Amino acid sequence: KNVIDTETKIDVSELPSKVRDYISSEYAGVSITEAAKIIDSKGNLKYEAEIKEGKKSKDILFDQDGNILKKADAD
């Protein structure tokens, strides 16, 4: 049985404050361009924030408590 992640776009203001705080401290002056909440195949809630640095976009994935899981260049 294949279960896929469910990604739902959310407003940036709906991201946990810990996520927004992390981005404002690690990426000063960079704004979050997109936000999503993801329910993975095991039912875990994760958050994704997309930021834009210059011409490059980066996706940063956080767990439900706002701890960073991974960073990846966005396509």
Side-chain angles (χ1 to χ4, degrees):
K1 180 179 162 187
N2 279 351
V3 182
I4 55 169
D5 296 355
T6 307
E7 186 170 323
T8 309
K9 294 243 184 269
I10 58 172
D11 201 71
V12 170
S13 64
E14 293 178 67
L15 287 169
S17 58
K18 194 171 173 183
V19 169
R20 297 193 312 266
D21 292 347
Y22 173 86
I23 289 170
S24 60
S25 69
E26 291 292 310
Y27 300 94
V30 171
S31 59
I32 301 171
T33 52
E34 276 184 27
K37 67 179 178 185
I38 298 166
I39 309 289
D40 71 14
S41 57
K42 296 183 178 80
N44 298 312
L45 173 62
K46 297 175 183 166
Y47 291 97
E48 184 182 79
E50 183 179 298
I51 59 168
K52 204 166 183 108
E53 281 187 295
K55 288 184 164 55
K56 279 193 169 169
S57 289
K58 198 180 268 294
D59 288 330
I60 307 173
L61 198 61
F62 298 87
D63 68 14
Q64 66 183 18
D65 299 318
N67 301 306
I68 188 158
L69 295 171
K70 87 177 188 201
K71 300 175 194 175
D73 290 335
D75 300 331

Coordinates of all heavy atoms in Angstrom, one line a residue:
K1 N 0.9 -1.2 0.0 CA 0.0 0.0 0.0 C 0.9 1.2 0.0 O 1.7 1.4 0.9 CB -0.9 0.0 1.3 CG -1.8 1.1 1.4 CD -2.7 1.0 2.6 CE -3.3 2.3 2.9 NZ -4.0 2.4 4.2
N2 N 0.7 2.1 -1.0 CA 1.5 3.3 -1.1 C 0.8 4.4 -0.5 O -0.3 4.7 -0.9 CB 1.8 3.6 -2.6 CG 3.0 2.8 -3.1 OD1 3.7 2.1 -2.3 ND2 3.3 2.9 -4.4
V3 N 1.4 5.1 0.5 CA 0.8 6.3 1.1 C 1.8 7.4 0.8 O 3.0 7.3 1.1 CB 0.6 6.1 2.6 CG1 0.0 7.4 3.2 CG2 -0.2 4.9 2.9
I4 N 1.3 8.5 0.3 CA 2.2 9.6 -0.1 C 2.0 10.7 0.9 O 1.0 10.8 1.7 CB 1.9 10.1 -1.5 CG1 0.4 10.5 -1.7 CG2 2.4 9.1 -2.5 CD1 0.1 11.2 -2.9
D5 N 3.0 11.6 1.0 CA 2.9 12.8 1.8 C 1.8 13.7 1.3 O 1.6 13.8 0.1 CB 4.2 13.5 1.8 CG 5.4 12.7 2.4 OD1 5.1 11.6 2.9 OD2 6.5 13.2 2.4
T6 N 1.1 14.3 2.2 CA 0.1 15.3 1.8 C 0.6 16.7 2.2 O 0.9 17.0 3.3 CB -1.2 15.1 2.6 OG1 -1.6 13.7 2.4 CG2 -2.3 16.0 2.1
E7 N 0.8 17.5 1.2 CA 1.3 18.9 1.4 C 0.2 19.9 1.2 O -0.5 19.8 0.2 CB 2.4 19.1 0.4 CG 3.1 20.4 0.6 CD 4.4 20.6 -0.2 OE1 5.1 19.6 -0.4 OE2 4.7 21.7 -0.6
T8 N 0.0 20.7 2.1 CA -1.1 21.7 2.1 C -0.4 23.1 2.3 O 0.3 23.4 3.2 CB -2.1 21.5 3.2 OG1 -2.5 20.2 3.2 CG2 -3.3 22.4 3.1
K9 N -0.7 24.0 1.3 CA -0.2 25.4 1.4 C -0.9 26.0 2.6 O -2.1 25.9 2.8 CB -0.5 26.2 0.1 CG 0.3 25.6 -1.1 CD 1.2 26.7 -1.6 CE 1.9 26.3 -2.8 NZ 3.2 25.6 -2.6
I10 N -0.1 26.8 3.4 CA -0.6 27.5 4.5 C -0.1 28.9 4.4 O 0.9 29.2 3.7 CB -0.2 26.9 5.9 CG1 1.3 26.8 6.0 CG2 -0.9 25.6 6.0 CD1 1.7 26.4 7.4
D11 N -0.7 29.8 5.1 CA -0.2 31.2 5.2 C 1.1 31.2 6.0 O 1.2 30.4 7.0 CB -1.2 32.1 5.9 CG -1.0 33.5 5.6 OD1 -1.3 33.9 4.4 OD2 -0.6 34.3 6.4
V12 N 2.1 32.0 5.7 CA 3.3 32.1 6.4 C 3.1 32.3 7.9 O 3.8 31.8 8.7 CB 4.2 33.2 5.8 CG1 5.5 33.5 6.7 CG2 4.7 32.8 4.4
S13 N 2.1 33.1 8.2 CA 1.8 33.4 9.6 C 1.3 32.1 10.4 O 1.3 32.1 11.6 CB 0.7 34.4 9.7 OG -0.5 34.0 9.2
E14 N 1.0 31.1 9.7 CA 0.6 29.8 10.3 C 1.7 28.9 10.7 O 1.6 27.9 11.3 CB -0.4 29.0 9.4 CG -1.8 29.7 9.2 CD -2.6 28.9 8.3 OE1 -3.1 27.8 8.6 OE2 -2.9 29.4 7.2
L15 N 2.9 29.3 10.2 CA 4.1 28.5 10.6 C 4.4 28.7 12.1 O 4.1 29.8 12.6 CB 5.3 29.0 9.8 CG 5.4 28.6 8.4 CD1 6.6 29.4 7.7 CD2 5.6 27.1 8.2
P16 N 4.9 27.6 12.8 CA 5.2 27.8 14.2 C 6.2 29.0 14.4 O 7.1 29.2 13.5 CB 5.8 26.5 14.6 CG 5.3 25.5 13.6 CD 5.1 26.3 12.3
S17 N 6.0 29.7 15.5 CA 6.9 30.9 15.7 C 8.4 30.4 15.7 O 9.3 31.2 15.3 CB 6.6 31.6 17.0 OG 6.6 30.7 18.1
K18 N 8.7 29.2 16.2 CA 10.0 28.7 16.2 C 10.6 28.6 14.8 O 11.8 28.9 14.6 CB 10.1 27.3 16.9 CG 11.4 26.9 17.3 CD 11.4 25.6 18.2 CE 12.8 25.1 18.4 NZ 12.7 23.8 19.2
V19 N 9.8 28.3 13.8 CA 10.2 28.2 12.4 C 10.6 29.6 11.9 O 11.6 29.9 11.4 CB 9.1 27.5 11.5 CG1 9.5 27.7 10.1 CG2 9.0 26.1 11.9
R20 N 9.6 30.5 12.2 CA 9.9 31.9 11.7 C 11.1 32.5 12.4 O 11.8 33.3 11.8 CB 8.6 32.7 11.9 CG 7.4 32.2 11.1 CD 6.2 33.2 11.0 NE 5.8 33.7 12.3 CZ 4.9 33.2 13.1 NH1 4.2 32.1 12.7 NH2 4.6 33.8 14.2
D21 N 11.2 32.3 13.7 CA 12.4 32.8 14.4 C 13.7 32.2 13.9 O 14.7 33.0 13.7 CB 12.3 32.4 15.9 CG 11.2 33.1 16.6 OD1 10.6 34.1 16.0 OD2 10.8 32.8 17.8
Y22 N 13.7 30.9 13.6 CA 14.9 30.3 13.0 C 15.3 31.0 11.7 O 16.5 31.4 11.5 CB 14.7 28.8 12.7 CG 15.9 28.2 12.0 CD1 17.0 27.7 12.7 CD2 15.9 28.1 10.6 CE1 18.0 27.1 12.0 CE2 16.9 27.5 9.9 CZ 18.0 27.1 10.6 OH 19.1 26.5 9.9
I23 N 14.3 31.2 10.8 CA 14.6 31.8 9.5 C 15.1 33.3 9.7 O 16.0 33.7 9.0 CB 13.4 31.6 8.6 CG1 13.3 30.2 8.2 CG2 13.6 32.5 7.3 CD1 12.1 29.7 7.4
S24 N 14.4 34.0 10.6 CA 14.9 35.4 10.7 C 16.2 35.5 11.4 O 17.0 36.5 11.1 CB 13.8 36.2 11.5 OG 13.6 35.7 12.8
S25 N 16.7 34.5 12.2 CA 18.0 34.6 12.7 C 19.1 34.0 11.8 O 20.2 34.6 11.7 CB 18.1 33.9 14.1 OG 17.9 32.5 14.0
E26 N 18.8 32.9 11.1 CA 19.7 32.3 10.2 C 19.8 33.0 8.8 O 20.8 32.9 8.2 CB 19.4 30.8 10.0 CG 19.6 29.9 11.2 CD 21.0 29.8 11.6 OE1 21.8 29.4 10.7 OE2 21.3 30.0 12.8
Y27 N 18.7 33.6 8.4 CA 18.7 34.2 7.1 C 18.1 35.6 7.3 O 17.0 35.9 6.8 CB 17.7 33.4 6.2 CG 18.2 32.0 5.9 CD1 17.7 31.0 6.7 CD2 19.1 31.7 5.0 CE1 18.1 29.6 6.5 CE2 19.6 30.4 4.8 CZ 19.1 29.4 5.6 OH 19.5 28.1 5.4
A28 N 18.9 36.4 7.9 CA 18.5 37.8 8.2 C 18.1 38.6 6.9 O 18.8 38.5 5.9 CB 19.6 38.6 9.0
G29 N 16.9 39.2 7.0 CA 16.5 40.0 5.8 C 15.9 39.2 4.7 O 15.5 39.7 3.7
V30 N 15.8 37.9 4.9 CA 15.2 37.0 3.8 C 13.8 36.7 4.2 O 13.5 36.4 5.3 CB 16.1 35.7 3.7 CG1 15.3 34.7 2.8 CG2 17.4 36.0 3.2
S31 N 12.9 36.8 3.2 CA 11.5 36.6 3.6 C 11.1 35.2 3.1 O 11.7 34.6 2.2 CB 10.6 37.6 2.9 OG 10.7 37.6 1.6
I32 N 10.1 34.6 3.8 CA 9.6 33.3 3.5 C 8.6 33.6 2.3 O 7.7 34.3 2.5 CB 8.8 32.7 4.7 CG1 9.8 32.6 5.9 CG2 8.2 31.4 4.3 CD1 9.2 32.2 7.2
T33 N 8.8 32.9 1.2 CA 8.0 33.1 0.0 C 6.8 32.2 0.0 O 5.8 32.5 -0.6 CB 8.8 33.0 -1.3 OG1 9.5 31.7 -1.2 CG2 9.8 34.1 -1.4
E34 N 6.9 31.0 0.6 CA 5.9 30.0 0.6 C 6.0 29.2 1.8 O 7.1 28.9 2.4 CB 5.9 29.0 -0.6 CG 5.3 29.6 -1.9 CD 5.4 28.5 -3.0 OE1 5.4 27.3 -2.7 OE2 5.4 28.9 -4.2
A35 N 4.8 28.7 2.3 CA 4.8 27.8 3.5 C 3.8 26.7 3.2 O 2.8 26.9 2.5 CB 4.4 28.6 4.7
A36 N 4.1 25.6 3.8 CA 3.2 24.4 3.7 C 3.3 23.5 4.9 O 4.3 23.6 5.7 CB 3.6 23.6 2.5
K37 N 2.2 22.8 5.2 CA 2.3 21.8 6.2 C 2.2 20.5 5.5 O 1.5 20.3 4.5 CB 1.3 22.0 7.3 CG -0.1 21.8 7.0 CD -1.0 22.0 8.2 CE -2.4 21.9 7.9 NZ -3.3 22.2 9.1
I38 N 3.0 19.5 6.0 CA 3.1 18.2 5.3 C 2.7 17.1 6.3 O 3.2 17.1 7.4 CB 4.5 18.0 4.8 CG1 4.8 19.1 3.7 CG2 4.6 16.6 4.2 CD1 6.3 19.1 3.4
I39 N 1.8 16.2 5.9 CA 1.6 15.0 6.7 C 2.2 13.9 6.0 O 1.9 13.6 4.8 CB 0.0 14.8 6.9 CG1 -0.7 16.0 7.4 CG2 -0.2 13.5 7.8 CD1 -0.5 16.4 8.8
D40 N 3.2 13.3 6.6 CA 3.9 12.2 5.9 C 3.1 10.9 6.0 O 2.1 10.8 6.6 CB 5.4 12.1 6.3 CG 5.5 11.5 7.7 OD1 4.6 11.0 8.3 OD2 6.7 11.6 8.3
S41 N 3.7 9.9 5.4 CA 3.0 8.6 5.3 C 2.7 7.9 6.6 O 1.9 7.1 6.8 CB 3.7 7.6 4.4 OG 5.1 7.4 4.9
K42 N 3.5 8.3 7.7 CA 3.3 7.8 9.0 C 2.4 8.7 9.8 O 2.2 8.4 11.0 CB 4.7 7.7 9.7 CG 5.6 6.7 9.1 CD 6.9 6.6 9.9 CE 7.8 5.5 9.3 NZ 8.6 6.0 8.1
G43 N 1.9 9.8 9.2 CA 1.0 10.7 9.9 C 1.7 11.8 10.7 O 1.1 12.4 11.5
N44 N 3.0 11.9 10.5 CA 3.8 13.0 11.2 C 3.5 14.3 10.5 O 3.5 14.4 9.3 CB 5.3 12.6 11.2 CG 5.6 11.4 11.9 OD1 5.1 11.1 13.1 ND2 6.3 10.5 11.3
L45 N 3.4 15.3 11.3 CA 3.2 16.7 10.8 C 4.6 17.3 10.7 O 5.4 17.3 11.6 CB 2.3 17.5 11.8 CG 2.2 19.0 11.5 CD1 1.5 19.2 10.2 CD2 1.4 19.6 12.6
K46 N 4.8 17.9 9.5 CA 6.1 18.7 9.3 C 5.7 20.0 8.6 O 4.6 20.1 8.1 CB 7.0 17.9 8.3 CG 7.5 16.6 8.9 CD 8.3 15.8 7.9 CE 8.6 14.4 8.4 NZ 9.1 13.5 7.4
Y47 N 6.6 20.9 8.7 CA 6.4 22.2 8.1 C 7.5 22.5 7.1 O 8.6 22.1 7.3 CB 6.4 23.3 9.1 CG 5.2 23.3 10.0 CD1 5.2 22.7 11.3 CD2 4.0 23.9 9.6 CE1 4.1 22.7 12.1 CE2 2.9 23.8 10.4 CZ 2.9 23.2 11.7 OH 1.8 23.2 12.5
E48 N 7.1 23.1 6.0 CA 8.1 23.5 5.0 C 8.0 25.0 4.8 O 6.9 25.6 4.6 CB 7.8 22.8 3.7 CG 8.9 23.0 2.6 CD 8.5 22.3 1.3 OE1 7.6 22.8 0.6 OE2 9.1 21.2 1.0
A49 N 9.2 25.6 4.8 CA 9.3 27.1 4.5 C 10.2 27.2 3.3 O 11.3 26.7 3.2 CB 9.8 27.8 5.7
E50 N 9.7 28.0 2.3 CA 10.5 28.3 1.1 C 11.0 29.7 1.3 O 10.2 30.6 1.5 CB 9.8 28.1 -0.2 CG 10.6 28.3 -1.4 CD 9.9 28.1 -2.7 OE1 9.4 27.0 -2.9 OE2 9.8 29.1 -3.5
I51 N 12.3 29.9 1.2 CA 12.9 31.3 1.2 C 13.6 31.6 -0.1 O 13.9 30.7 -0.8 CB 13.9 31.4 2.4 CG1 15.0 30.4 2.3 CG2 13.1 31.3 3.7 CD1 16.2 30.7 3.2
K52 N 13.8 32.8 -0.4 CA 14.4 33.2 -1.6 C 15.7 34.1 -1.2 O 15.5 35.1 -0.5 CB 13.5 34.0 -2.5 CG 13.9 34.0 -3.9 CD 12.7 34.6 -4.8 CE 13.1 34.5 -6.2 NZ 12.4 33.4 -6.9
E53 N 16.8 33.6 -1.6 CA 18.1 34.3 -1.3 C 18.6 34.7 -2.7 O 19.1 33.9 -3.5 CB 19.1 33.4 -0.7 CG 18.9 33.2 0.8 CD 20.1 32.4 1.4 OE1 20.3 31.2 1.0 OE2 20.8 33.0 2.2
G54 N 18.5 36.0 -3.0 CA 18.9 36.4 -4.3 C 18.0 35.8 -5.4 O 16.8 35.8 -5.3
K55 N 18.7 35.0 -6.3 CA 17.9 34.3 -7.3 C 17.6 32.9 -6.9 O 16.8 32.2 -7.7 CB 18.6 34.3 -8.7 CG 18.7 35.7 -9.3 CD 19.4 35.6 -10.7 CE 19.2 36.8 -11.6 NZ 19.5 38.1 -11.0
K56 N 18.2 32.4 -5.8 CA 18.0 31.0 -5.4 C 16.9 30.9 -4.4 O 16.8 31.6 -3.5 CB 19.3 30.5 -4.8 CG 20.3 30.1 -5.8 CD 21.4 29.3 -5.1 CE 22.3 28.6 -6.1 NZ 23.5 28.0 -5.5
S57 N 16.1 29.8 -4.6 CA 15.1 29.5 -3.6 C 15.6 28.3 -2.8 O 16.3 27.4 -3.4 CB 13.7 29.1 -4.3 OG 13.1 30.3 -4.8
K58 N 15.2 28.2 -1.6 CA 15.6 27.1 -0.7 C 14.4 26.6 0.1 O 13.6 27.5 0.6 CB 16.7 27.6 0.2 CG 17.5 26.5 0.9 CD 18.6 27.2 1.8 CE 19.9 27.4 1.3 NZ 20.9 26.9 0.8
D59 N 14.2 25.3 0.2 CA 13.1 24.7 1.0 C 13.8 24.3 2.3 O 14.8 23.6 2.3 CB 12.5 23.5 0.3 CG 11.6 24.0 -0.9 OD1 11.1 25.1 -0.8 OD2 11.5 23.2 -1.8
I60 N 13.2 24.6 3.4 CA 13.7 24.2 4.7 C 12.5 23.4 5.4 O 11.4 23.9 5.5 CB 14.1 25.4 5.6 CG1 15.1 26.2 4.8 CG2 14.8 24.9 6.8 CD1 15.6 27.5 5.4
L61 N 12.8 22.2 5.8 CA 11.8 21.3 6.4 C 12.0 21.3 7.9 O 13.2 21.2 8.4 CB 12.0 19.9 5.8 CG 10.8 19.0 5.9 CD1 9.6 19.5 5.2 CD2 11.2 17.6 5.3
F62 N 10.9 21.4 8.6 CA 10.9 21.4 10.1 C 10.0 20.3 10.6 O 9.0 20.0 9.9 CB 10.5 22.7 10.6 CG 11.3 23.9 10.2 CD1 11.1 24.6 9.0 CD2 12.4 24.3 11.1 CE1 11.9 25.6 8.7 CE2 13.2 25.4 10.7 CZ 13.0 26.1 9.5
D63 N 10.3 19.8 11.8 CA 9.3 18.9 12.4 C 8.2 19.7 13.0 O 8.2 21.0 13.0 CB 10.0 18.0 13.4 CG 10.5 18.6 14.6 OD1 10.2 19.8 14.9 OD2 11.3 18.0 15.4
Q64 N 7.2 19.1 13.6 CA 6.0 19.8 14.2 C 6.4 20.7 15.3 O 5.6 21.6 15.6 CB 4.9 18.8 14.6 CG 5.3 17.9 15.8 CD 4.2 16.9 16.1 OE1 3.3 16.7 15.2 NE2 4.3 16.3 17.2
D65 N 7.6 20.5 15.9 CA 8.0 21.4 17.0 C 8.8 22.5 16.6 O 9.3 23.3 17.4 CB 8.7 20.6 18.1 CG 7.9 19.5 18.7 OD1 6.7 19.7 19.0 OD2 8.4 18.3 18.8
G66 N 9.1 22.6 15.2 CA 9.9 23.7 14.7 C 11.4 23.4 14.7 O 12.2 24.3 14.5
N67 N 11.8 22.2 14.8 CA 13.2 21.8 14.8 C 13.5 21.5 13.3 O 12.7 20.8 12.6 CB 13.5 20.6 15.6 CG 13.1 20.8 17.1 OD1 13.6 21.8 17.7 ND2 12.3 20.0 17.7
I68 N 14.7 21.9 12.9 CA 15.1 21.8 11.5 C 15.3 20.3 11.1 O 16.0 19.6 11.9 CB 16.2 22.7 11.1 CG1 16.5 22.7 9.6 CG2 17.5 22.3 11.9 CD1 17.2 23.9 9.1
L69 N 14.8 19.9 10.0 CA 15.0 18.5 9.6 C 16.0 18.5 8.4 O 17.0 17.7 8.3 CB 13.7 17.8 9.1 CG 12.7 17.6 10.3 CD1 11.4 17.1 9.7 CD2 13.3 16.6 11.2
K70 N 15.8 19.4 7.4 CA 16.7 19.4 6.3 C 16.5 20.7 5.4 O 15.4 21.3 5.5 CB 16.6 18.1 5.4 CG 15.6 18.1 4.3 CD 15.6 16.8 3.5 CE 14.7 17.0 2.3 NZ 14.3 15.8 1.7
K71 N 17.6 21.0 4.7 CA 17.5 22.2 3.8 C 17.8 21.6 2.4 O 18.6 20.7 2.3 CB 18.7 23.2 4.1 CG 18.6 23.8 5.5 CD 19.8 24.6 5.7 CE 20.0 25.0 7.2 NZ 21.2 25.7 7.5
A72 N 17.1 22.2 1.4 CA 17.4 21.7 0.1 C 17.1 22.9 -0.9 O 16.3 23.7 -0.6 CB 16.4 20.6 -0.3
D73 N 17.9 22.9 -2.0 CA 17.6 23.9 -3.0 C 16.3 23.6 -3.6 O 16.0 22.4 -3.9 CB 18.7 24.0 -4.0 CG 20.0 24.6 -3.5 OD1 19.9 25.3 -2.5 OD2 21.1 24.2 -4.0
A74 N 15.4 24.6 -3.8 CA 14.1 24.4 -4.4 C 14.3 24.3 -5.9 O 15.2 25.0 -6.5 CB 13.2 25.5 -4.0
D75 N 13.5 23.6 -6.6 CA 13.5 23.5 -8.0 C 12.8 24.7 -8.7 O 11.8 25.1 -8.2 CB 12.8 22.2 -8.5 CG 13.5 21.0 -7.9 OD1 14.7 21.0 -7.7 OD2 12.8 20.0 -7.7

